[in-house]
Each structure stands twice: as C-alpha cells, then as structure tokens.
Amino acid sequence: MRRLLIASGLAAGLLTLGACATLGEPVTLSLAELEQRCEQRGGILQPTGSETGRPQTDYICREAMVGAPGLTNAARTNLNTAVDQSLRRGN
C-alpha cells in the first residue's frame, strides 16, 4: 500500500512538472513571412484591428478555401480559423 501511494505521488508530481514545462520559444514571424504563408495557403492577410506590434496578432489569414466545392459557411469559417491558428503558431 505504501508503494502504491509513493508511486501515485511521484506520478502526479511528474505530470505536474510536465504540464508546466515549455516547448520552446514562441515563433515570431515578420509581416512578410506571415503574408507569404497565408498566400501559399490561398488566403488573404487582413488586419484584425488590434495594434500589438506582433503581426501574428494584428493580422489574420482570411478566405483560405472560398472556392472549394461542398463547403458550407460554417465549414469555411472553421477552416479559416484553423489556418489562422496554425499561422499564429508558426506552422
């Protein structure tokens, strides 16, 4: 029983440390790099209205697959959101 409690405590501690660990520095892209990635995906870079000084926050890639057949408005919105989040992460 004592071993089980110690193992459980150790496992919980390791999970907590793992959750707090960073995966590295955040990716910072210049406006030109962000625009190039957006255009490669078929989108148009548009300002979001915020002025943080970070292009990933100040601009969003819109209308990535407008001409794709079979996509509803909700699907297009979800796709654009996913592409925007991917660009913000630097993928």
Side-chain angles (χ1 to χ4, degrees):
M1 182 71 169
R2 185 181 295 172
R3 288 183 184 175
L4 181 62
L5 290 174
I6 291 173
S8 296
L10 184 60
L14 289 175
L15 286 174
T16 303
L17 287 175
C20 294
T22 60
L23 296 176
E25 294 295 319
V27 176
T28 55
L29 298 174
S30 69
L31 182 57
E33 293 170 329
L34 193 62
E35 187 172 15
Q36 178 186 11
R37 287 183 178 196
C38 183
E39 287 176 356
Q40 285 175 348
R41 294 178 178 187
I44 299 170
L45 204 60
Q46 295 179 343
T48 61
S50 63
E51 296 179 10
T52 64
R54 293 186 62 227
Q56 291 128 321
T57 305
D58 298 343
Y59 295 90
I60 188 169
C61 187
R62 292 279 186 203
E63 304 298 325
M65 300 262 305
V66 168
L71 285 181
T72 63
N73 285 338
R76 285 188 187 110
T77 302
N78 291 340
L79 180 62
N80 286 337
T81 302
V83 168
D84 179 54
Q85 289 173 351
S86 177
L87 286 171
R88 285 184 183 180
R89 285 191 305 266
N91 296 341

